[in-house]
Amino acid sequence: MDSTPPPSSASPFDMVSSALGQYMPAGGAAAAAGSAEPQDDNAAARQVPADPPTARQEQILGAVNLDRDLRITRCNLDAPVFAGVEAVIGNPFVDLLPPWDVPTVTRRLRQVLETGEPHVARVQRLRRSDGSELVVSMSILAAAAPQEGLTVSLIAMARRLHLYAAETAIGTSLDIGETAQSLAESLLAWGDVTAIDLDFAVWTGEVVTEQPQGRIRLRRAALVPDRAWPDGYITPGEDLPGDASRLLSQAIRRDDFAQAIVIPDREAIERVLGSPRLVRALVPGDQAAGVACIPLVLDGDPPVVLGVAEVWRRADRPFADSELFDLQELVARTSHHVDLARQHQREHTQVLALQRRLLPRSAGDTIETASVYQPATPDSAGVGGDWVNSFPLPDGRTALVVGDVVGHGLGAAATMGQLSMEARALLSAGLAPDEVLEHLDDTVSLLDDAESGLAAGYSALGSTCCIAVYDPVSHHVELASAGHLPPILVAPGGPAGPVAIRPHPGLGAEFALREPYDVHAFSAPPGSLLALYTDGLVEDPALSIDEGIDRLTDAVSSVHPWDGLQQAARRVVSALAPPRRRDDVTLLLARMIGYRKGDTATWRLPARGVAAARARALTSELLRRWGTRDDTRDSVLLVVDELVANAVRFAGGPITVRLIRTGRGLLCEVGDTGNGRPRLGPSGLLDDGGRGLHVVHGLTTRWGVRWTDTGKVVWASVER
């Protein structure tokens, strides 16, 4: 015997209330639905209104129960507004839908079945038996126990209810594409097809003027419903033909005011468009016979037109005056949401351009690098202040820098750009990583007091930074960190794991909390892989930060020596980064190459008068073995002689001489224990001091000083 209850065995209000009960706190469902029996004499004495709330709700409320196969098991669509909607027990629920909505709604139904999370307030069309359609607000809920399956709530969209629901839905995203899509979906209640075409300046976030300059350009931002369209028809992301853009712009501008227009039938549409090509581009199929074009106008003096909304209908459904009023009211209410999304897009584009500008280009011949930067999703708080950089230093080493400035938007971007450029300048000047962090720490503290500029009102206190400098001759890395997560090191044939660095507060910490920055030195032989990253890559609400770092370690360990580094970096980010990012994701992979042993030579000499002659002899023999040209050899010998002579004269302790054969020339380094900085000053013909540096300056392409724990190193580069 079939135990399935008849279609109207329960009111739709009861069916929906039962399903809602499981989403409410204990006792909430009873409080919401009310009690069937009086609890006391006073309750019994209260009179029931002649038109109770449930009766009013049942005039527009319907409900359908589905089994796990999405077939109808029970329904109540008795309200007159649902006349013609034929919900038959045992039939698939999707039989009530237009064909083009079936895939999307089926996916939503399955999702609620699997997760139990409700899907609420979707604007949906239902088919009537006479071929017309009913617009409803559809919510999908898990069925109340002991039943299995789903309860689908259907609320016929009264005019004011729909306007309110539409405006609420449109204002939930700052992404301009999603905003346009929400508007198009809401307008579908008045037509069969809706499209949103925006001024190209709006789409890209540029400033929009009341009088567009040059050729008018419209881009399709949204199109509903989602279906297969005829060839030649303009779909989202495509630009309208120039003639079509001009026609639409002229049509809605009459007497210098933007106004809605209606083209009532197919014949009039073809006459206005004037060519089969424009008809194919703008008319959605053969059945579309009338269109209402409503401008998106931003209030102002004068008002600014952001684009146009198109609502298409079949010939048997002409637009009534009241419907046009509703359309204009909804579009007018939501135009400011489109402009807010435009402003957000503009800021997002500017910050992203700055981020892209700071991405590393090339790290030189002794190290291979690859980087991936993915901004936070557009509808989040905005692009953050993550940055990554790698660049060759003038003395032949390579710097790897990653940082994370707190916050989002232009303030974070401005601070990020300033810190990134300052770090590069200080490292190129020869400062050690810990010294650079000390300067960045002071900069962040000073910026916190700034009252003007892009960073006004913005605080970068607590930003983090990690700096690593790779020496391709000794194959060692010096690393310092200010509150940043530890890099991952994968040694060839050895274990992989985070580099052991002592925790340190972020940049700009209170003076009482400041401590000297540590420099951690470790070996990185050729073939080693070093990964620097920001927290957006390893943070996951379901995992601890240590588990996130372990996942990154496993992913980086899977990179083989013969893998292309850029592809490997993308693969690592794809495996770890969440699909909807609330924070930027940054990764820098560096594969150490270094110099071959035969391309370098190092000598240690006593600080005596014969040191210069000994250095010349050793250098001359080495250059002969390297097959260096005579003119280059003479220049290198003079440079080495002057640098060693200066070290003997002005510094003490042993002197270290190092020669490196690079891809473009020769690099000469002379180290000593002195702490004085050689300076190139003015000198006359008879001056005895300072002439050696003038000789070095004239023979080299570049020279400089870097500081070490035991003194300094003066380096000079000579081209071949």
Side-chain angles (χ1 to χ4, degrees), residues 74 119 137 191 202 218 330 338 379-380 393 428 453 497 507 523 569 695:
R74 183 169 62 166
H119 178 70
S137 174
V202 177
L218 293 176
L330 176 57
V338 176
D379 60 342
S380 67
L393 297 176
S428 298
L507 300 172
S523 176
V695 172

Side-chain angles (χ1 to χ4, degrees), residues 355 373 384-388 403-405 416 534-536 583-586:
Q355 291 277 17
Y373 168 73
D386 291 14
W387 93 85
V388 63
D404 188 356
V405 173
M416 174 265 298
T534 54
D535 53 7
D583 197 3
D584 295 358
V585 170
T586 306

Side-chain angles (χ1 to χ4, degrees), residues 211-222:
Q211 295 294 336
Q213 303 295 320
R215 184 174 69 89
I216 296 172
R217 182 180 178 187
L218 293 176
R219 170 167 290 187
R220 179 138 297 171

Side-chain angles (χ1 to χ4, degrees), residues 580-591:
R580 294 190 65 82
R581 298 174 298 278
R582 303 301 298 176
D583 197 3
D584 295 358
V585 170
T586 306
L587 173 66
L588 173 64
L589 290 184
R591 180 180 285 152

